[in-house]
Amino acid sequence: MSEERFGEFVLVRRHEQGHVAELVLDRPKAMNAVSTEMARSIAGACTALREDRDVRAVVLTSTHGRAFCVGADLKERNTFSDADLLRQRPVTRGAYTGVLELPVPTVAAVHGFALGGGFELALACDVIVADRTAVVGLPEVSVGVIPGGGGTQLLPRRVGAARAAELIFSARRVEAVEAGELGLVDQLVEEGRDREEALALAARIAGNSPVGLRAAKRALRLGQGLDLRAGLEVEDAAWRATAFSGDRAEGVAAFNERRKPQWPGE
């Protein structure tokens, strides 16, 4: 396993077996509160991962024992003028957009608090694995703002408009069991096993065709919100991108020869 640090607070671990990378939130003294510097580092790490063709799946994890991420650094924000806040906005947006636009499947490993921008980082992933200590929510209206890291758009796509409205307007925190029941998280696992289970899921995902994975994610994302006819056109374009690839030829050959595919990735 190799490690690369982006600034002081973000780490990327590349697992040599399985083509899986970890994007690690590593600001434990602040429960991973997202400062300007940390946001810039998340965006930088995502750029590096996006350009790494060897990576087939990414897991978003935390080094803090009691928190995934508690959202924006409100201590830093308390020192800001309006002009400072305006200057920070594209930096913070870059962090959330960076995770959202990773071209490979992404899995969030959530334990403890995932609140505000912290939960939005998880929502930007394709799958959320949470342990039984998880507490999630979007409490931004309780401090005079709104979810600004994608929450107002991503949450209703998960749970529907009315449920998202109730959760955002009430600013309430949701504990793990209810979060699983509502679909705020996708897999609920035993305490302390979120990272292990998320990495195992990512490894299973990464065993599949890298061309197929990227195309399937693109179709899933681009098709959201479209009517069925338009969505099927998106799917057809993604299918065409895979059907004549080396991965498709290798996959069919491996199936017929009853062996594990050796994906060319193109």
Side-chain angles (χ1 to χ4, degrees):
M1 181 172 64
S2 64
E3 294 188 351
E4 181 180 5
R5 187 163 287 279
F6 292 80
E8 186 178 355
F9 304 128
V10 175
L11 182 67
V12 169
R13 296 185 181 127
R14 287 177 172 82
H15 294 253
E16 294 176 2
Q17 300 297 322
H19 303 277
V20 173
E22 262 185 276
L23 177 56
V24 185
L25 306 178
D26 187 29
R27 195 186 178 202
K29 291 182 179 179
M31 300 180 84
N32 289 328
V34 181
S35 63
T36 306
E37 179 186 348
M38 187 172 178
R40 189 174 287 112
S41 296
I42 292 171
C46 288
T47 296
L49 289 169
R50 188 166 57 246
E51 295 173 352
D52 188 343
R53 300 293 296 187
D54 193 51
V55 173
R56 300 180 190 171
V58 174
V59 180
L60 185 57
T61 66
S62 161
T63 59
H64 194 284
R66 294 186 296 109
F68 174 73
C69 173
V70 294
D73 186 342
L74 296 185
K75 290 183 179 179
E76 180 188 54
R77 291 272 181 93
N78 195 45
T79 69
F80 278 5
S81 65
D82 288 351
D84 292 331
L85 187 59
L86 189 60
R87 280 192 294 269
Q88 187 202 43
R89 178 61 175 163
V91 178
T92 55
R93 282 196 73 185
Y96 300 110
T97 303
V99 175
L100 184 64
E101 294 185 350
L102 284 169
V104 297
T106 50
V107 183
V110 174
H111 59 266
F113 297 111
L115 301 173
F119 188 38
E120 288 174 302
L121 286 171
L123 289 171
C125 295
D126 299 301
V127 181
I128 302 175
V129 175
D131 83 357
R132 293 184 178 275
T133 69
V135 179
V136 305
L138 296 175
E140 284 90 344
V141 298
S142 69
V143 292
V145 290
I146 70 164
T152 66
Q153 305 306 304
L154 295 170
L155 188 58
R157 283 169 166 78
R158 274 188 161 267
V159 300
R163 179 67 68 192
E166 182 266 317
L167 292 166
I168 291 170
F169 296 161
S170 68
R172 72 183 179 94
R173 300 179 177 189
V174 182
E175 296 189 0
V177 172
E178 185 184 4
E181 293 170 349
L182 296 180
L184 299 175
V185 304
D186 302 301
Q187 294 184 22
L188 194 60
V189 301
E190 293 304 314
E191 181 176 346
R193 290 186 57 84
D194 54 295
R195 177 177 177 269
E196 180 181 351
E197 295 290 346
L199 285 170
L201 173 59
R204 291 196 298 275
I205 290 169
N208 296 310
S209 158
V211 172
L213 290 171
R214 287 171 178 254
K217 177 162 181 172
R218 188 163 61 249
L220 284 163
R221 288 292 176 90
L222 293 178
Q224 287 182 1
L226 300 179
D227 63 39
L228 179 58
R229 185 179 296 274
L232 289 173
E233 291 302 317
V234 168
E235 181 182 81
D236 185 66
W239 178 85
R240 290 173 185 276
T242 62
F244 308 104
S245 68
D247 274 13
R248 195 276 309 170
E250 168 62 10
V252 172
F255 176 83
N256 283 285
E257 295 166 15
R258 298 183 180 182
R259 60 175 174 81
K260 184 178 179 179
Q262 301 297 315
W263 303 114
E266 57 185 23

